[in-house]
Amino acid sequence: MCASIGADPARYSAHRDETNRYRFTLMTVKQHIDQLSVLIPAYQEIVNLRWLLPRVIANIPNQVAYEVVVVVERQCANEIRKEIEALGAVVLERSPTDSFGDAMRTGIKYCVARAPWVLVLDADGSHDPASIPILVSVANETNADITIASRYVSGGSSDNSFALYWMSRLLNFGYSLVLGLKVKDVSTNFKLYRASILDATKLQCENFDIVEEILARGIKLRPQLKVVEVPDHFFERKAGESKRKLGPFIASYLLTLYRLRRGQDSKSPGTT
């Protein structure tokens, strides 16, 4: 079950309030997020973390107990670890390799044991922490299991170049079409998850395609999963260079798409 809402949360609330015959039902079943782990995979991103972490902490709603978790590269310098901790985050070292996939698995394993909700965003500043309270509010209002900060629903946008924008759109269209995902922005890493979804998902990808794998496997395991997309803006990274290499990036996405599709066709939903 997937849906998107307009760019103005106040408009959504007004529409909900006008539906008088359903008001009591919606209010009685509405969930309340009061505990959250924030997961930030970061590979040599200390410059961006100096900008990002204070803004993440400042934008977590007051009623939400939280822990910010930064998953750094292996053998991260001790002074860098101490600086991240001083900025208010728990520091984990990814294992067994320095891949993005291992960073996500390391962080997920830790976070799902600590809180019932996990918010994931990138360390490079491309995801605006000001969107965090919107994601939490929309998840509460809609009872969503996954809430996506989406570039590709109405009101969403991106700073990517023309070529990167359309490559991303084609990638997302391909995943949605081939895997039957009724989601416009599959590949963004800026998502709020019910932790039980992540805990139940056996993740295998080593690269950035683990983001799509999480969504595809989650929906496959729980077909009634509610996914809501909220319009968001994707910014250029604040500092440094992207870790994505175009050739391996495309190859891994195509291989993962084939593997996930093959897994969907399998009689046993727990195998690939």
Side-chain angles (χ1 to χ4, degrees):
M1 182 185 299
C2 305
S4 63
I5 68 169
D8 184 0
R11 181 181 177 186
Y12 171 79
S13 297
H15 173 75
R16 182 175 57 84
D17 288 342
E18 289 163 7
T19 315
N20 291 325
R21 60 184 292 191
Y22 298 114
R23 181 184 298 170
F24 179 76
T25 303
L26 285 171
M27 290 183 68
T28 55
V29 300
K30 189 167 63 174
Q31 65 194 9
H32 177 66
I33 296 172
D34 59 3
Q35 189 178 3
L36 179 70
S37 284
V38 180
L39 169 56
I40 307 175
Y43 186 89
Q44 299 179 354
E45 294 282 8
I46 185 58
V47 174
N48 290 317
L49 289 170
R50 290 172 185 146
W51 176 91
L52 180 68
L53 288 174
R55 288 165 175 80
V56 167
I57 292 169
N59 278 284
I60 296 173
N62 291 332
Q63 72 276 15
V64 178
Y66 68 89
E67 183 175 51
V68 180
V69 180
V70 176
V71 185
V72 298
E73 66 276 11
R74 295 183 302 160
Q75 301 177 347
C76 177
N78 193 48
E79 59 268 24
I80 298 297
R81 297 174 66 101
K82 288 182 178 179
E83 183 174 357
I84 295 171
E85 289 170 350
L87 288 167
V90 173
V91 179
L92 301 179
E93 191 172 288
R94 67 189 72 185
S95 65
T97 76
D98 270 332
S99 72
F100 184 81
D102 279 334
M104 290 291 288
R105 278 184 288 271
T106 300
I108 287 170
K109 182 178 180 180
Y110 178 89
C111 289
V112 298
R114 309 276 293 185
W117 292 88
V118 180
L119 175 75
V120 185
L121 72 162
D122 289 340
D124 60 4
S126 57
H127 300 145
D128 187 357
S131 297
I132 292 173
I134 298 174
L135 292 174
V136 172
S137 176
V138 169
N140 282 334
E141 292 288 334
T142 62
N143 283 359
D145 298 294
I146 302 174
T147 309
I148 300 173
S150 176
R151 297 162 287 181
Y152 303 135
V153 295
S154 177
S157 54
S158 172
D159 281 346
N160 275 340
S161 66
F162 180 84
L164 285 175
Y165 173 83
W166 282 107
M167 185 178 76
S168 175
R169 290 304 303 262
L170 286 171
L171 181 149
N172 279 278
F173 176 76
Y175 266 78
S176 297
L177 179 66
V178 174
L179 300 179
L181 305 175
K182 295 179 181 179
V183 175
K184 293 185 181 297
D185 197 346
V186 180
S187 64
T188 181
N189 200 30
F190 198 2
K191 297 185 178 83
L192 174 60
Y193 298 93
R194 192 182 298 277
S196 57
I197 295 164
L198 298 173
D199 195 31
T201 305
K202 297 179 181 179
L203 303 172
Q204 300 177 2
C205 290
E206 293 299 326
N207 299 308
F208 297 97
D209 46 344
I210 193 172
V211 176
E212 288 84 348
E213 184 186 22
I214 290 170
L215 188 63
R217 288 187 181 276
I219 292 175
K220 179 183 175 182
L221 287 168
R222 303 183 182 184
Q224 297 306 311
L225 204 69
K226 186 169 186 179
V227 182
V228 175
E229 296 188 80
V230 179
D232 194 55
H233 182 76
F234 180 86
F235 293 87
E236 290 284 354
R237 67 164 32 246
K238 296 294 180 185
E241 296 182 356
S242 173
K243 310 302 188 297
R244 290 174 172 87
K245 304 300 181 184
L246 189 58
F249 174 83
I250 293 173
S252 67
Y253 270 83
L254 291 175
L255 179 60
T256 296
L257 180 58
Y258 169 77
R259 185 165 52 80
L260 290 173
R261 177 59 186 175
R262 187 178 179 186
Q264 281 188 344
D265 291 338
S266 172
K267 290 184 180 180
S268 173
T271 61
T272 59

